[in-house]
Amino acid sequence: MLDVRRMQVLRAVITSGSITAAARNLGYTPSAISQQLSALEREAGTELLERVGRGVRPTAAGALLSEHAETLSAELARAEAALTELKEGRIGRVAIRYFATAGASLVPPAIAAVRREHPGVRLDLKLVEPDDPMMDVEAGEADVAITVFPRKTPPGKGVELVHLLDDPYRAVLPKTHPLARKRVLDLTEFAEEPWVGVDGLPGVCRDILESACASAGFAPNIVVESEDYQTAQGFVAAGIGVGLVPELGLGAPHPGVVVRRIRNPEPVRAIHAAVASRAAGHPAVRTLLAAMRAATAKVA
């Protein structure tokens, strides 16, 4: 196989007209240049230069390789420039996965910051629900995922966790409910109430609620399920039951409900960014995480 660097030396010799001049321009000794040319001729299997007086001129094979060396040099320069842009976060692709309530409040301002500071970076955004967005990072299909903890299994190898915020659950009940007059409710006060479920599918969020209720000594009596927090509030407003909704999921509360703090215990979702270790140093990823932290400060 032909050595690209030796081809570049050949071009330098042909362009400058002599081995001595090329050695001076490249900062080598004439002997070193001659050795490079001899090695290249062995690789090519033919002579590449012929002497003319004190100088040299290319053979047909030498002229051919010199032309290709020029093309290769230009391509290498473009590759090096592209690599520099990639390392500095000016180009590339960042794949981001998220769940709905995070997408509504945390992701948009972070994406705006990346677009502003790294306009050449292409963003691959995807809502993943009800599945866990972190699975895409573990599978190598995404760079960043917004996900919920605590969970039963730790993240896979090559995944780094960045804590963004704690998202406490709030009690949601009809405005006419007897408990609505209280500002803070003990979770046990919901033990005998019908519930509107908001996390019907198995997963971390449902585990958090079930664990909190178990700690309070009961299992919720779920009479209707809703996977959408706004729809759940509509069921609550209609008097069908009470429920717990994370703060990020409240949005604009339904006019027919009241929202109250809950305690003993207070269920909390810990929102994290799961980042692929290979992408953690990318400038656009760093910008994304910094903007999410700023957004969480406003949410809090």
Side-chain angles (χ1 to χ4, degrees):
M1 180 179 294
L2 298 174
D3 184 277
V4 174
R5 180 57 186 160
R6 290 170 182 155
M7 290 174 62
Q8 291 172 326
V9 169
L10 170 66
R11 177 164 179 77
V13 170
I14 293 173
T15 302
S16 60
S18 72
I19 291 176
T20 301
R24 184 172 57 250
N25 294 337
L26 296 176
Y28 295 150
T29 65
S31 175
I33 294 294
S34 295
Q35 290 175 13
Q36 293 288 319
L37 293 174
S38 295
L40 182 61
E41 287 184 331
R42 287 195 298 272
E43 292 170 353
T46 186
E47 291 186 354
L48 302 175
L49 296 170
E50 57 185 11
R51 291 194 173 276
V52 180
R54 294 185 177 181
V56 293
R57 67 184 178 191
T59 64
L64 176 68
L65 289 188
S66 178
E67 292 175 4
H68 283 284
E70 181 180 13
T71 301
L72 289 171
S73 294
E75 288 296 329
L76 285 172
R78 280 193 288 269
E80 289 174 351
L83 180 60
T84 298
E85 288 189 324
L86 178 65
K87 290 189 293 186
E88 293 179 356
R90 297 199 296 269
I91 63 171
R93 170 182 173 273
V94 177
I96 304 161
R97 304 292 181 259
Y98 58 93
F99 59 93
T101 52
S105 56
L106 303 182
V107 175
I111 295 306
V114 174
R115 291 287 298 274
R116 183 172 58 252
E117 298 184 28
H118 308 278
V121 174
R122 184 167 62 89
L123 298 175
D124 173 9
L125 299 169
K126 183 178 179 181
L127 171 66
V128 178
E129 204 165 31
D131 293 330
D132 182 3
M134 191 173 71
M135 291 191 296
D136 281 8
V137 176
E138 293 175 325
E141 297 174 1
D143 302 299
V144 181
I146 312 306
T147 188
V148 176
F149 278 78
R151 61 179 61 247
K152 294 178 180 178
T153 56
K157 186 178 180 181
V159 179
E160 302 175 11
L161 294 179
V162 178
H163 180 262
L164 297 176
L165 82 159
D166 290 329
D167 185 23
Y169 280 78
R170 298 302 184 215
V172 179
L173 56 160
K175 279 189 172 181
T176 57
H177 196 285
L179 293 174
R181 67 181 184 275
K182 302 181 69 173
R183 307 306 301 175
V184 182
L185 301 174
D186 288 319
L187 186 55
T188 53
E189 294 183 84
F190 277 8
E192 303 300 325
E193 296 286 339
W195 280 55
V196 174
V198 292
D199 290 300
L201 294 175
V204 177
C205 294
R206 192 172 80 172
D207 290 343
I208 292 171
L209 288 180
E210 289 181 348
S211 177
C213 291
S215 296
F218 71 96
N221 174 28
I222 297 175
V223 295
V224 64
E225 294 275 13
S226 174
E227 296 169 22
D228 176 79
Y229 292 130
Q230 294 303 313
T231 302
Q233 290 187 47
F235 285 132
V236 172
I240 294 174
V242 300
L244 296 186
V245 175
E247 278 194 338
L248 284 183
L250 285 171
H254 191 286
V257 306
V258 295
V259 179
R260 298 290 183 257
R261 286 184 54 202
I262 200 80
R263 64 185 180 188
N264 298 326
E266 178 187 58
V268 175
R269 304 190 304 178
I271 310 298
H272 287 72
V275 184
S277 298
R278 55 177 168 70
H282 194 292
V285 172
R286 293 200 298 267
T287 297
L288 180 81
L289 296 177
M292 284 187 180
R293 292 192 191 98
T296 61
K298 293 179 181 179
V299 171

